[in-house]
C-alpha cells in the first residue's frame, strides 16, 4: 500500500495545504459530523522530546474523530533507554497503530523513520528541522484572521536559525503569493537550506535586524522564542533577546489589522499586555491545532484507505526515495 | 641515469597497464580526487598524479592515474561533484577500453557524511547517508543541510 507521510512542508503543494485547511474549516464548523468517523483507528504518539501542546492536540484530534491514541510514554520510561534504535522503535510501533506521530531531537529523524514504517507518519518536530502540522495550523489561523493567504505580508521574528516552525512556515508560504520579512539577530538568521528554497521559489523575501522599519507593513507578525542556550553567556542573551521582545507599546506602530501569532509556549517575548490588544491571536491559534490535526488525520486515513490507485492526498508518498 | 631508465620513467607517468585514468580534473583538484578514492599513500596503490598540466579545455588540468583499480559508480558520482568536467578512462593492457565523461547524479548515497552533527544519519541508526545533488553543492535528504564548500572534507572512507 502506498502511504502518505507528512515530513516537510517543502513537499506540500498549495492544493494539499488548501485541502487540509478547507477540511479543517468544515470540521470546526460541525465537529459532530466526524465524531465517529475513525472509530476503529489508533494513533501512535512517539515523543522523544517533551511536548505538551502538540502531543495533547494530536490526542484530542484522534479522540474527537472517534479513535484512540497510544503513547510510548517519556523517553526515560521506554526501551530507548535500553539503547534501541529509532528505526526499530518505529518499526515495532507501526504494527500497533494506524498512523504515527513522531517528535525527535535529531534533524531528519522523521524522514528516516518513514522509511521503516508501514503506516503514515507525521513529523511533529525533528530537532531544528521541520514541524509541518504546526505550519498547517499557522496557515489556518492566518487565513482565518487575515482573510486569506495570497497578498499577505508576513513578518517572522526571533530564532530563525533553529526554529523548526519558522522553517516549515517559510517553505509553505512560498506556495502562496505572500511577502515574507525575516527579523532576527545576525547570529540567528535563516539557515542556508531554507534560504536556498526561498530563493529557488522566487519568493519575495527580505531580512531585517530590527522590527522597527517593517512593522507598519505587516498583516501578520509571527513571533518565536529566542532560547538562552543559543548564546555563549547570559549577558549576551539578555541583550539580544530584549531587542526582539514585543509589548503593547511596540504594537502602536502596527497596522490596526495586524495579527500577532506565536507557536507557543511563549516566555517573555510577548509581554502579557499584548494579550488585551486586538492584535493578539495566539490563543485562538493554539485552539486551531485540534481541528487542523483532525483534518490532517482524516485525509491521511482516507488516503490510506483510498484503494483506487489514486495518488495520496497530502505529503510524500512512502517508499519513494526521490524528492 | 640510463636511457632505458628514462623510458621506463616516462612510461610510468604517462601510461598504465591496467587501471583508471581520471582526466580533465580542474587544476588543483587531484588531491581531492585522491581523498575521494581513499588514497593517502599508505594503501600501497600505484598512483601517478599530474598537476596543472596545460589543457585546451580547462587551461590547466590535473590527471590522476590509479593502477589496478576500476572505480565504482559511487566513487565516480562523488568525483563528478568536485570535477564536473572529468573523464574516466578504463585501461586494460595499455589500451583505453572505456572512456566516458562523468555525469552528475541526482543523488549520492553512502559516500559523503552529513556535516550536521545532530542529523539522524550521524546517530547510531541503520541509515545510509544520502544527498540530493544541486546545481551548486549537495543537500542532505534527511536534515536538508546544504553543503557547498569543501565537499572532500565530508567524504566517508
Ligand atoms: Zn543531514
Amino acid at each position: 500500500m502506498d502511504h502518505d507521510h507528512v515530513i516537510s512542508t517543502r513537499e506540500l503543494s498549495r492544493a494539499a495545504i488548501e485541502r487540509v485547511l478547507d477540511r479543517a474549516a468544515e470540521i470546526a464548523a460541525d465537529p459532530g459530523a466526524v465524531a465517529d468517523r475513525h472509530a476503529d483507528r489508533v494513533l501512535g504518539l512517539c515523543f522523544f522530546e517533551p511536548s505538551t501542546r502538540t502531543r495533547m492536540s494530536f490526542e484530542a484530534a484522534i479522540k474527537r474523530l472517534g479513535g484512540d491514541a497510544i503513547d510510548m510514554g517519556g523517553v526515560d520510561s521506554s526501551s530507548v533507554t535500553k539503547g534501541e534504535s529509532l528505526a526499530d522503535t518505529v518499526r515495532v510501533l507501526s504494527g500497533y497503530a494506524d498512523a504515527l506521530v513522531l517528535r525527535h531531537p535529531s534533524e531528519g529523524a522523521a524522514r528516516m523513520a518513514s522509511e521503516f514504517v508501514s503506516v503514515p507518519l507525521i513529523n511533529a518536530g525533528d530537532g531544528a528541522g521541520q514541524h509541518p502540522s504546526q505550519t498547517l495550523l499557522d496557515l489556518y489561523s492566518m487565513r482565518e484572521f487575515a482573510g486569506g493567504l495570497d497578498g499577505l505580508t508576513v513578518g517572522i521574528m526571533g530564532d530563525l536559525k533553529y526554529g523548526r516552525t519558522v522553517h516549515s512556515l517559510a517553505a509553505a508560504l512560498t506556495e502562496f503569493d505572500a511577502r515574507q520579512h525575516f527579523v532576527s539577530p545576525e547570529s540567528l538568521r535563516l539557515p542556508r537550506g531554507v534560504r536556498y528554497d526561498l530563493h529557488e521559489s522566487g519568493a519575495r523575501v527580505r531580512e531585517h535586524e530590527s522590527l522597527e522599519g517593517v512593522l507598519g507593513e505587516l498583516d501578520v507578525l509571527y513571533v518565536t522564542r529566542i532560547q538562552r542556550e543559543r548564546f555563549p553567556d547570559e549577558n549576551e542573551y539578555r541583550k539580544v533577546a530584549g531587542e526582539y521582545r514585543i509589548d503593547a507599546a511596540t504594537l502602536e506602530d502596527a497596522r490596526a489589522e495586524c495579527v500577532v501569532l506565536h507557536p507557543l509556549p511563549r516566555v517573555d517575548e510577548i509581554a502579557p499586555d499584548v494579550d488585551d490588544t486586538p492584535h493578539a491571536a495566539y490563543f485562538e491559534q493554539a485552539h486551531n491545532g485540534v481541528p487542523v490535526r483532525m483534518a490532517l488525520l482524516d485525509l491521511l486515513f482516507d488516503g490510506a484507505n483510498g484503494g483506487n490507485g489514486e495518488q495520496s492526498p497530502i505529503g510524500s508518498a512512502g517508499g519513494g526515495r526521490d524528492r | 641515469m640510463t636511457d632505458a631508465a628514462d623510458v621506463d620513467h616516462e612510461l610510468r607517468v604517462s601510461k598504465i597497464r591496467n587501471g583508471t585514468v581520471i582526466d580533465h580534473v580542474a587544476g588543483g583538484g587531484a588531491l581531492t580526487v585522491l581523498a575521494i578514492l581513499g588514497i593517502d599513500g599508505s594503501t600501497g596503490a600505484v598512483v601517478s598524479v599530474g598537476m596543472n598540466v596545460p589543457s585546451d579545455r580547462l587551461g590547466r588540468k590535473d590527471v590522476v592515474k590509479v593502477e589496478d583499480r576500476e572505480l565504482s559508480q559511487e566513487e565516480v558520482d562523488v568525483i563528478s561533484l568536485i570535477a564536473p568536467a572529468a573523464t574516466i578512462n578504463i585501461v586494460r593492457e595499455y589500451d583505453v577500453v572505456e572512456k566516458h565523461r562523468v555525469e552528475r547524479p541526482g543523488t549520492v548515497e553512502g559516500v559523503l557524511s552529513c556535516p550536521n552533527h545532530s542529523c539522524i544519519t550521524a546517530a547510531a541508526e541503520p541509515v545510509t547517508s544520502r544527498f540530493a545533488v544541486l546545481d551548486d553543492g549537495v543537500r542532505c535528504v534527511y536534515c536538508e543541510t546544504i553543503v557547498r564548500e569543501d565537499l572532500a572534507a565530508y567524504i566517508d572512507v
Side-chain angles (χ1 to χ4, degrees), chain B residues 37-114:
Chain B
L37 299 179
I39 294 170
D40 61 3
S42 69
T43 55
V46 180
V47 177
S48 331
V49 176
M51 292 178 92
N52 296 310
V53 179
S55 153
D56 291 344
R57 212 160 95 199
L58 300 173
R60 296 270 167 186
K61 67 172 185 178
D62 287 5
V63 186
V64 177
K65 303 179 184 188
V66 189
E67 295 198 34
D68 298 317
R69 176 161 167 190
E70 295 183 9
L71 307 189
S72 70
Q73 189 58 48
E74 286 77 19
E75 290 167 331
V76 173
D77 284 351
V78 178
I79 288 171
S80 77
L81 301 179
I82 61 110
T87 46
I88 308 286
N89 302 271
I90 310 277
V91 179
R92 289 180 198 142
E93 290 300 326
Y94 301 108
D95 281 332
V96 175
V97 295
E98 239 181 76
K99 176 172 184 153
H100 55 88
R101 286 178 80 148
V102 296
E103 270 173 44
R104 286 167 75 82
T107 57
V108 288
E109 201 162 330
V111 197
L112 297 170
S113 57
C114 185

Side-chain angles (χ1 to χ4, degrees), chain B residues 114 116 119 121 131 140 142-145:
Chain B
C114 185
N116 173 10
C119 177
T121 61
F131 289 82
C140 175
Y142 293 93
C143 72
E144 306 186 346
T145 294

Side-chain angles (χ1 to χ4, degrees), chain A residues 10 78 83 89 101 137 253 269 282 317:
Chain A
R10 292 178 59 222
S78 69
T89 304
V101 178
L137 80 90
D253 295 328
E269 56 278 15
Y282 28 89

Side-chain angles (χ1 to χ4, degrees), chain A residues 86-87 107 115 192-193 197, chain B residues 116 118 120 125 139 142 149:
Chain A
L86 171 63
E107 284 98 64
E115 294 170 359
R192 185 190 257 180
D197 290 329
Chain B
N116 173 10
S118 61
I120 195 69
E125 295 289 340
R139 170 184 232 152
Y142 293 93
E149 301 83 17

